[in-house]
C-alpha cells in the first residue's frame, strides 16, 4: 500500500496460461479483490502465436457476470450456447452477459491458423448486481465505429463502457461502470476526473506518471477516491482506465461469480451434470470439447 494520495495501491499481475496464451492476471489479487464492479482482469501479450500454435479456450461455463474481450492486436472467434458466433478484432467489443448461466469458447479463427498471429488485449469480468445475477444470458458485439472516441491534446480515448470525459458508451451495463482504452503520445498529459467511486489505471505498454508517481508497463494503479488524477506519459503509452461503483462482496470460484457461496456450489453441480451429458448448462453449437470442473 502506497498511501492515500494520489495512488492507493500498485498491483502487478501473476503469470498464468489461458488456452495456450501467456497471461498476466491482475484481479483478483491478494491485496485487492475488486475495483468497482470489476472482479477479474487479465492482460495478454503483446506476443505472437507462431505457426502451428493457436488460442484454444474450450467451452466453459459462467454465472453472475459479464465477460468483456477487447483487443489491441489479433483476432478471436467467440462461440456460445446462445448460438452466437462472432469474430472480434482490435477496437471492437464482445460483451457477454452470463446471468443465470452461459457456456462459450474462444479460439483463433480457422483462417489464421498456420501463420504467425500477433495477440495483445484484455479479458475482464464485470460482476452483476444482486438483482441481475440470474438474468437471461445474452451476447452483444459492438464494432469499433460504434464506440465514442474523445480526443485531447496528445491523447485518444475510446469509451468502451459507461460514461467518462463527457460521453457515454452505447454498451449496455447493469451498474455504474467505467472502462476506457487510452492512447497517449510521449509528453501528453490527461486529467482523470473523480466522477466514479473507484478507479484504476492499467499500463498495457509504455511508462507513465500519476501526479508524479511512476507507473511501469504491466502495473495496475488504484487511484485514491474523491480526487482528480493527472496522467503524464513519459513515452508513448497504451492504458486502460476502469472502475465504477462497488457492488459489495462477491465470491469468485473458477469461472463462477456470485453473491452467495450456495450459488457457486449449485453451479459446480450443474457443470458436473453437463460433463455427464445433462442439459442444465446448454451446449455450444459446433463444439464437442469442454473444460472439466477443476478439482480445487
Amino acid at each position: 500500500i502506497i498511501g492515500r494520495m494520489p495512488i492507493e495501491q500498485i498491483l502487478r499481475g501473476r503469470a498464468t496460461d489461458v488456452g495456450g496464451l501467456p497471461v498476466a492476471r491482475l484481479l483478483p489479487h491478494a491485496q485487492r479483490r475488486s475495483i468497482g464492479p470489476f472482479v477479474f482482469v487479465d492482460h495478454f501479450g503483446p506476443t505472437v502465436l507462431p505457426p502451428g500454435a493457436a488460442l484454444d479456450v474450450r467451452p466453459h461455463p459462467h454465472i453472475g457476470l459479464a465477460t468483456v474481450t477487447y483487443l489491441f492486436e489479433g483476432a478471436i472467434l467467440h462461440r456460445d450456447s446462445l448460438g452466437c458466433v462472432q469474430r472480434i478484432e482490435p477496437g471492437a467489443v464482445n460483451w457477454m452477459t452470463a446471468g443465470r448461466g452461459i457456456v462459450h469458447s474462444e479460439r483463433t479463427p480457422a483462417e489464421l491458423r498456420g501463420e504467425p498471429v500477433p495477440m495483445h488485449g484484455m479479458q475482464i469480468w464485470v460482476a452483476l448486481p444482486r438483482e441481475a445475477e440470474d438474468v437471461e444470458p445474452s451476447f452483444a458485439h459492438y464494432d469499433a465505429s460504434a464506440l465514442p472516441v474523445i480526443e485531447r491534446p496528445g491523447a485518444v480515448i475510446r469509451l468502451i463502457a459507461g460514461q467518462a470525459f463527457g460521453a457515454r458508451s452505447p454498451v449496455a451495463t447493469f451498474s455504474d461502470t467505467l472502462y476506457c482504452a487510452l492512447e497517449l503520445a510521449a509528453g501528453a498529459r490527461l486529467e482523470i476526473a473523480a466522477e466514479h467511486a473507484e478507479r484504476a489505471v492499467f499500463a498495457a505498454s509504455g511508462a507513465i506518471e500519476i501526479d508524479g508517481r511512476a507507473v511501469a508497463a504491466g502495473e495496475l494503479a488504484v487511484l485514491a477516491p474523491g480526487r482528480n488524477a493527472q496522467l503524464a506519459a513519459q513515452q508513448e503509452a497504451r492504458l486502460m482506465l476502469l472502475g465504477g461503483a462497488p457492488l459489495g462482496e462477491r465470491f469468485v470460484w473458477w469461472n463462477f461469480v456470485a453473491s452467495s457461496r450456495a450459488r457457486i456450489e449449485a453451479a459446480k453441480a450443474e457443470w458436473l451434470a453437463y460433463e455427464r451429458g445433462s442439459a442444465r448448462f446448454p451446449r455450444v453449437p459446433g463444439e464437442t470439447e469442454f473444460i472439466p470442473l477443476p478439482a480445487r
Side-chain angles (χ1 to χ4, degrees):
I1 297 178
I2 294 172
R4 296 194 60 81
M5 297 291 182
I7 297 173
E8 283 196 341
Q9 296 169 300
I10 290 183
L11 309 176
R12 289 199 65 89
R14 60 181 176 86
T16 185
D17 177 278
V18 175
L21 194 63
V23 165
R25 182 149 300 158
L26 295 138
L27 287 180
H29 193 281
Q31 297 178 29
R32 186 93 186 195
R33 306 304 295 174
S34 63
I35 298 166
F38 291 75
V39 294
F40 179 98
V41 177
D42 269 2
H43 173 235
F44 53 89
T47 189
V48 176
L49 294 174
L55 172 69
D56 277 305
V57 181
R58 294 167 291 157
H60 58 281
H62 290 288
I63 65 164
L65 56 84
T67 71
V68 187
T69 304
Y70 186 84
L71 295 179
F72 306 123
E73 292 183 282
I76 295 174
L77 184 67
H78 162 98
R79 287 191 178 93
D80 65 39
S81 52
L82 299 174
C84 300
V85 179
Q86 178 65 57
R87 179 179 170 131
I88 183 170
E89 295 182 327
V93 172
N94 274 6
W95 189 287
M96 184 184 76
T97 301
R100 61 179 176 78
I102 199 168
V103 182
H104 77 132
S105 66
E106 292 177 298
R107 300 183 185 270
T108 298
E111 65 273 16
L112 297 181
R113 293 172 183 253
E115 61 182 74
V117 180
M119 292 293 292
H120 190 196
M122 307 292 299
Q123 176 78 48
I124 64 95
W125 299 352
V126 177
L128 299 178
R130 290 175 186 268
E131 64 274 14
E133 281 186 292
D134 289 324
V135 296
E136 290 296 311
S138 62
F139 176 82
H141 174 83
Y142 300 83
D143 288 335
S145 60
L147 303 180
V149 177
I150 304 104
E151 296 189 2
R152 298 285 188 269
V156 177
I157 303 151
R158 289 178 173 81
L159 183 53
I160 298 170
Q163 58 182 7
F165 302 98
R168 179 180 289 276
S169 168
V171 175
T173 63
F174 287 87
S175 64
D176 176 54
T177 304
L178 168 67
Y179 196 32
C180 300
L182 314 178
E183 295 177 13
L184 270 60
R189 293 180 174 272
L190 181 67
E191 182 174 79
I192 306 299
E195 59 182 329
H196 297 274
E198 295 183 353
R199 300 159 298 153
V201 176
F202 173 66
S205 63
I208 63 168
E209 289 184 353
I210 300 178
D211 288 345
R213 178 81 191 196
V215 178
E219 292 183 335
L220 179 70
V222 182
L223 304 181
R227 181 182 187 276
N228 290 3
Q230 303 290 333
L231 306 188
Q234 306 308 299
Q235 54 190 256
E236 185 176 309
R238 175 173 276 155
L239 315 172
M240 302 302 285
L241 172 64
L242 57 97
L247 298 178
E249 184 179 32
R250 286 296 182 276
F251 299 98
V252 180
W253 190 90
W254 191 41
N255 299 313
F256 305 138
V257 174
S259 58
S260 73
R261 292 190 186 278
R263 185 67 187 92
I264 297 285
E265 293 303 316
K268 289 182 188 180
E270 289 164 6
W271 190 245
L272 284 173
Y274 178 101
E275 296 179 22
R276 297 172 184 135
S278 168
R280 294 184 193 176
F281 271 109
R283 301 278 162 173
V284 178
E287 293 274 15
T288 57
E289 299 180 300
F290 62 86
I291 300 177
L293 190 77
R296 297 178 61 181

